[in-house]
Amino acid sequence: MMLKLSDTRNFFILMCLFSFFCYDANSSRAAAPINNQPRFLVNKRCNITFDPQINQFTLRTPITVNTQSSRARCIVRIDTSNTQKQFRLVPLALKGVVKKAPAGVAITSFLLGDKPTPYQMTYGSATNFDLTNKILPTNYTTPGKSVLGINLVLTTTGGELQLTELKFALQ
């Protein structure tokens, strides 16, 4: 059986694609793996964008709880196992407004496998809030602990609360 040159070339191209590690023919070094960015998993209610240039993720649209929708969750998971760097989550902004009380905010930032750092606040009157300094940064990731996360829960019983700003840095 005789193989054509095009069959051999296609075989090596497929092997390169399946292994995710390719040799760069234009240089003397191996190319980096294709997927070396942290992977995000975010629930539907939380409209988050990630800017890889500055390693920050930001809430794009406010989250509101009121009498029609008395509870909202924002869950963000960041898997850094495919990177060679260490990361931690650092809060840059967690702000909003309680338009009508009662309403509450509970947030936990964590490195999976470490003790979480929860914070909870219940508001009895209308007010603007800034909880940025109440949230501690997480520890750095390690080879055995590579998943960072945020669990945010907004609640009300007859009131109205709007989360206007949520921003974290991945340092």
Side-chain angles (χ1 to χ4, degrees), residues 20-73:
F20 293 109
F21 194 85
C22 305
Y23 183 79
D24 184 359
N26 296 322
S27 76
S28 61
R29 61 185 174 81
I34 293 170
N35 199 3
N36 62 0
Q37 289 292 319
R39 293 182 301 250
F40 281 77
L41 177 64
V42 181
N43 68 330
K44 292 181 204 175
R45 185 85 190 258
C46 200
N47 189 358
I48 296 284
T49 58
F50 178 69
D51 185 346
Q53 300 297 323
I54 56 174
N55 272 352
Q56 290 181 6
F57 62 92
T58 308
L59 183 67
R60 287 184 59 179
T61 55
I63 302 173
T64 302
V65 290
N66 51 32
T67 54
Q68 288 81 29
S69 178
S70 64
R71 181 180 163 102
R73 290 187 73 180

Side-chain angles (χ1 to χ4, degrees), residues 124-140:
S125 62
T127 187
N128 291 335
F129 64 87
D130 182 352
L131 302 177
T132 307
N133 295 329
K134 303 291 185 182
I135 307 162
L136 298 174
T138 65
N139 289 327
Y140 284 96

